[in-house]
Amino acid sequence: MRIALPRIRDFSSRRPDFPVGLPRFARALRFPVFGLLLMLAALCAQAQPGDFDASLDTARLLIDKARKVLDDPPNDAADLLPLRTEVLGAGAQAEAAAALLEPQLASVQARLAELGPVTPGQAEAHDVAVLRSQLNKNRAELDAQFKRAKLLAVESEQTAGEISALRRSEFQARLGERTSSILSSLFWSELRMDLPADAQNARRLFDQLVMAARASGAWVWSSVGLIGLVLLGLHLWAGHAFLGLTTTRVPPGRLRRSLHAWTRVLLPTATAGLMAEAAYLGLVWVAPLPEALAPLMSRLAGVICFGGYVVGLGHALLLPARPSWRLLPLPDVLALRLRWLPPLLALLMVLTWALIPLTAQINASLVTTVALDCIVALAMALAMGLGLLQSNLARRKALREPGSAAAWPPSPLWLTSVIGLAWLGAAVSFLALLLGYVALGSFLVHQMAWMTIVLGSAYLLAVLVDDGFTTLLSPPAGAVGPAEGAGAAAEQPASPFFKVRRQAAVLLSGVGRLLVVVLTLMLLLAPFGEGPSELFQRADKLHQGVSIGEFQIRPMSVLQALVVIGLCLVVVRIVRRWLKEDYLPTTSLDTGMQAWTATLFAYAGNLLALSLGLAAVGIGLERIAWVASALSVGIGFGLQAVVQNFVSGLIMLAEKPVKVGDWVSLGGIEGDIRRINVRATEIQMGDRSTVIVPNSEFITKTVRNVTHANPLGLVKILLPVPLAADADQVRCLVLKIFEAHADVLKAPEPGVQLDSIDSAGMVFNATAFVNSPRMAYGVRSALMFDVLRGLREAGISLVKPDGLVLREATERAPEPPAP
């Protein structure tokens, strides 16, 4: 038992692998980001070949130091994290040196290639020979340095991987270790033996704290107390002030609630941090703290600030006093019942992070350290279990009461799964703590608290990002609908400016929430050896690019390509609009040809933009020639119809058998041509529906163009009258009605012919012409009304000869589409 206990003591006193790592993360992020930038800047400033040796020697020393540590691993696995950071920094230093050496080596090789090979048996000029010798010497030195830098970069990656594997193995080994159970008598007997000595050490440290506090004097602590009262007053005033500001100045919507939630988060954080800092300044006002007390109190100030953040985060998520401002869809009764949980969790987490350095500072015995860790973890597990139990009881009560069931919506599957996992984690951690697996139980319960804090913060941040971009970039409320007094003016939201703003809001919101998700994953993976420092180091490698076959894709090249493509598309859009609206209308081209020219220019411009973008990435058109060759077979078979329609569209726009605005009939489809695209033509039917017809149909099939070359519209009416009627009277009456109509043309003049005579009666065929076929249907209807009225006044009736209905149906002009 005594052999396994010291390893657990190391785990309890270090615990770098869960939330206590926040200060450590800040220190770790300092080196990989700013340190690498400084190294890169230094290497860029020192570009001489001889200067690279010192840089590579430094990287070699760091890697060798890490290899020695791996041969004899330290007892404290926490020391491996800064060592890994140094190794990755050495690798980045070597990579930067290789990046600077590569163009110099290529330049020397290019100069040697210009000199050409040495001709056997022929002496070179003295100056050429000297130059060749110097270039060969420089090439050898640069090549050796370049290979050395590449080798050091590979070794650094391998060494960093071994360090990470060692950290993970040590971490997993500690989780499986066991001590005496807190329920056993042996544990408490050992605690009674070691507790007096630990209490005496703690009392000695407490006496130093009291002495430091007394040294500051009463007036200092009076000032600290006054500052605390002022901070509390400012906290209350700022809460009311920010609430009024968001209510009056922020547009209505979710942005008000998200800003209010973050106000509730940041105000307690700032208040707690400032009060802790004021107390710390009170301790060191007269004299510095003792060496044993200074790091403990400095850490405690930061921990108290984080405790204020936890309290503010819990209140921002629950908001029991303002349910209408709550972002989470929680029932009011549940928010009221859980309002005690955030302060308790904050207190327990502050105790956890305060006890870790305290037990290490007083050199507490193992059993005392384990007992304190176990008690605080048990309290946290009980608090979480009690919160879950209250939620379950409240839900069951709401479901039993008919009036409250509507206020408790059914839980989705993912939420039920999360609650089930929370129950399982709380139960496992509680049992592990009771059975003696203190490391495992403490890790589980603290990870549950850490995940709750990270996910809650991520939710509020994602909501703020989404609400901020959506509200600030969305069109103003007054822009919805047509403007008052604008008449037939177009609606404001249809403006391209508002469309771009909406698209930018959606795009920026998506990118912002994606960054929040990435940051959340980084923080959640931190306890398992993949903290922000490791992830930032890996992300820093992206500047080297990703190799895909022979292509080297680099982030800066991709960004440059996106900028080039974006600028080219903007230019193409501006020029296309200028062609369509300004220049082409001044030419003799018809409307269809103008639309085709603008469309063809847009296709060519987009293709050019894509080509320039590929060139910016480093993929020239000659490199993708084999792709085009491979796709030619697919184009010949799979895209045969597309190519055929494309060529047909070019033929249509060149020969102009039809044009935009023509009334055509094709295979039972009849209507107006609204648009001729490169692949297909849009025809609007009489019921305002649109039919997409492939262009090849207009080339390979018979097309009836009713309005081709602006023909006249023919109006034809068949009049069956009895045999007893006066034929001349009917003819004169119809001609008079036709001549009186304003839309009937005088030339060609209208006519009335006797079409047939049988036993049923006579059939007159009355014809007239109008200016356009589109007018024929309406004029024919108006003339029929007038003819019926005239025949009725003249006392002439109509009959229905045999076959007249069929004949009229076959000869009747087709109904034109609605304009």
Side-chain angles (χ1 to χ4, degrees), residues 406-675:
W408 200 291
S411 301
L413 179 60
W414 67 268
L415 182 58
T416 305
S417 303
V418 169
I419 295 176
L421 291 176
W423 273 111
L424 180 61
V428 171
S429 61
F430 187 78
L431 291 177
L433 291 170
L434 292 181
L435 294 178
Y437 294 96
V438 179
L440 177 61
S442 179
F443 175 78
L444 287 178
V445 71
H446 285 98
Q447 286 313 303
M448 290 177 62
W450 176 243
M451 291 177 64
T452 303
I453 295 171
V454 171
L455 293 178
S457 304
Y459 173 77
L460 291 183
L461 187 58
V463 171
L464 179 64
V465 169
D466 184 40
D467 296 342
F469 286 122
T470 303
T471 303
L472 298 179
L473 295 179
S474 61
V480 178
E484 295 182 2
E491 295 184 359
Q492 295 283 351
S495 171
F497 175 71
F498 290 115
K499 291 182 180 179
V500 170
R501 286 180 57 175
R502 282 195 294 266
Q503 294 172 0
V506 175
L507 179 61
L508 293 177
S509 174
V511 172
R513 285 183 290 178
L514 179 61
L515 294 178
V516 171
V517 171
V518 172
L519 178 61
T520 303
L521 292 177
M522 291 169 55
L523 295 177
L524 291 179
L525 293 175
F528 305 97
E530 291 292 339
S533 58
E534 287 83 356
L535 295 177
F536 275 122
Q537 288 285 359
R538 293 186 179 184
D540 185 68
K541 297 296 182 182
L542 292 178
H543 74 277
Q544 303 172 10
V546 179
S547 297
I548 304 177
E550 297 181 356
F551 303 137
Q552 188 76 10
I553 306 299
R554 293 181 174 87
M556 292 305 299
S557 300
V558 174
L559 180 60
Q560 182 180 359
L562 293 177
V563 172
V564 169
I565 292 176
L567 292 177
C568 290
L569 291 180
V570 171
V571 172
V572 168
R573 186 171 182 178
I574 293 175
V575 176
R576 178 178 180 271
R577 181 179 299 177
W578 173 77
L579 285 173
K580 185 178 180 181
E581 299 180 358
D582 297 334
Y583 176 72
L584 292 177
T586 62
T587 63
S588 59
L589 299 176
D590 57 24
T591 306
M593 200 65 181
Q594 294 176 15
W596 174 78
T597 304
T599 302
L600 191 61
F601 172 80
Y603 278 103
N606 293 337
L607 182 61
L608 178 61
L610 180 60
S611 303
L612 293 177
L614 292 176
V617 176
I619 305 176
L621 295 180
E622 69 280 358
R623 294 189 178 184
I624 60 175
W626 60 272
V627 179
S629 301
L631 291 178
S632 60
V633 178
I635 294 175
F637 291 96
L639 302 180
Q640 183 178 3
V642 176
V643 176
Q644 180 183 6
N645 291 321
F646 177 78
V647 175
S648 300
L650 297 181
I651 294 174
M652 289 172 56
L653 293 170
E655 295 184 355
K656 303 177 185 178
V658 294
K659 59 181 181 300
V660 176
D662 282 353
W663 175 15
V664 298
S665 177
L666 171 65
I669 300 172
E670 187 170 344
D672 293 324
I673 294 180
R674 292 304 185 192
R675 185 177 292 105

Side-chain angles (χ1 to χ4, degrees), residues 101-126:
L101 286 169
E102 186 175 8
Q104 298 183 23
L105 180 60
S107 175
V108 173
Q109 291 177 346
R111 295 176 64 185
L112 282 172
E114 291 178 357
L115 292 179
V118 178
T119 305
Q122 182 178 357
E124 284 188 318
H126 176 71

Side-chain angles (χ1 to χ4, degrees), residues 768-785:
F769 291 92
V770 293
N771 285 321
S772 171
R774 301 181 187 278
M775 302 172 57
Y777 189 78
V779 174
R780 178 173 178 270
S781 176
L783 290 175
M784 289 177 65
F785 278 108

Side-chain angles (χ1 to χ4, degrees), residues 718-728 730 753-765 796-801 804:
L718 297 179
L719 297 174
V721 297
L723 288 174
D726 188 353
D728 293 333
V730 174
Q753 290 81 24
L754 187 59
D755 188 69
S756 63
I757 300 175
D758 54 21
S759 60
M762 299 177 295
V763 178
F764 289 89
N765 185 3
I796 301 173
S797 62
L798 297 177
V799 297
K800 185 177 180 181
L804 184 59

